[in-house]
Amino acid sequence: MTLRLFDYEELYQQLAEQGAADWAAQLKAAGAAAIQSDRHGKLAEWTAAWDQVVVPESTVFEAAGRCITATGKITDQERWQLERALRTLHPWRKGPYDLCGVQIETEWRSDLKWDRLADRLELRGRRILDVGCGNGYYGWRMLAAGARLVVGLDPFLLYVMQFEVVRKFAAAADPVAAQRHFLLPLSDREIPERLQLFDTVFSMGVLYHRTSPIDHLQSLAGSIRPGGELVLETLVTEDDRATVLVPEHRYAKMRNIWFIPSIPMLLCWLQRTGFGDCRLLDVSRTTPNEQRSTPWMTFESLSDFLDPGDPTRTVEGYPGPVRAIVSATAR
Ligand SMILES: C[S@@+](CC[C@H](N)C(=O)[O-])C[C@H]1O[C@@H](n2cnc3c(N)ncnc32)[C@H](O)[C@@H]1O
């Protein structure tokens, strides 16, 4: 099978069959525009790297364990070429992956978050939207947990390219399964107001990046069928009152953090935007065991963002990152 880069035809067909032909047309136009705009001016380089990834025919692809793994016979020379191509797609933030012996130790041990939520959810047969999905690590885990379809949205084209590389291995192992996971280079802005299509919608690590968290929650609410589930993961503050932290400038050196709610405030936002049955699945402090610099993400990471004298606080003096996972039902 010849795999094409950014091939969403099967997705558009599936959406049309579900009565969402208009949305498919919108995604097609917006996706093409996003790819063509090549905001970082690196698409040619990334595409060359994607081209260089040659996948053995007898590949086995596994996503049920902590590391997403493709196994297949390649020579040392081919492994060296594969590693070189994969390194072109630096920084690798979400993972880990092991592609034919090339071990991609990503900035995040994404498996740890998955372990905190997977047992609490039923994903079998579900049609899933993952908003802000990064390179699609969790989408592969969702498929392995029995999801029928996973559609990821992430506006950062590099992450989509990382996904496209991994998809090559998945498609070589099982062409049909690989047609159930798609990642479009788009944001939550492409979700129509009353789509009501997905059984489960994930938004993990996105809410605090939005200048309007309420608009984000409303767009998620519109994407879920009535009775469907939202899985929301976000930074929170440990305040028993309904309050919200708006960092004055940066938070943990990040410029694009706008609203960090307390859990009571988050529950209030969810209730106001059309969700019920809110269940708090987990609250965890993020540690350098879960987020750290690696040879595959060589920029600064969590330990550089925390106060060396008091690692419970950020370098700016705010409470250090604590994340909550909430499940809620769309009314
Ligand atoms: C902190 S990462 C979280 C990735 C993944 N969901 C996870 O939990 O590990 C946030 C992701 O959201 C994406 N993002 C930022 N703004 C977005 C938006 N408006 N709509 C969708 N994704 C967005 C970023 O490109 C980034 O990949």
Side-chain angles (χ1 to χ4, degrees), residues 60-119:
V60 175
F61 187 80
E62 287 171 313
R66 72 168 275 267
C67 181
I68 291 176
T69 304
T71 328
K73 257 202 167 153
I74 58 172
T75 63
D76 288 348
Q77 167 76 3
E78 285 166 339
R79 187 169 300 105
W80 181 82
Q81 277 169 350
L82 173 61
E83 177 160 350
R84 202 178 51 168
L86 295 170
R87 284 195 186 274
T88 306
L89 303 179
H90 176 273
W92 284 80
R93 293 193 183 271
K94 309 298 171 174
Y97 296 91
D98 179 339
L99 302 177
C100 288
V102 180
Q103 282 161 17
I104 305 177
E105 266 320 321
T106 48
E107 177 188 20
W108 283 84
R109 289 270 318 272
S110 304
D111 55 303
L112 297 179
K113 191 192 296 186
W114 186 251
D115 288 347
R116 292 197 284 269
L117 59 84
D119 286 350

Side-chain angles (χ1 to χ4, degrees), residues 93-94 108 110 113 130-138 153-157 159 186-189 191 202-210 216 233 254 256 323:
R93 293 193 183 271
K94 309 298 171 174
W108 283 84
S110 304
K113 191 192 296 186
D130 186 0
V131 180
C133 61
N135 66 27
Y137 171 88
Y138 292 115
L153 298 179
D154 202 292
F156 193 13
L157 200 50
Y159 300 155
L186 297 172
S187 75
D188 59 351
R189 293 182 194 86
I191 302 172
F202 285 80
S203 164
M204 302 197 290
V206 182
L207 188 75
Y208 47 83
H209 286 313
R210 305 302 293 127
H216 179 66
E233 191 249 17
M254 290 180 279
N256 59 352
R323 291 180 153 78

Side-chain angles (χ1 to χ4, degrees), residues 41-69:
K42 292 203 153 188
L43 187 55
E45 191 186 334
W46 294 338
T47 304
W50 180 85
D51 270 330
Q52 282 155 20
V53 173
V54 179
V55 177
E57 260 174 35
S58 57
T59 299
V60 175
F61 187 80
E62 287 171 313
R66 72 168 275 267
C67 181
I68 291 176
T69 304

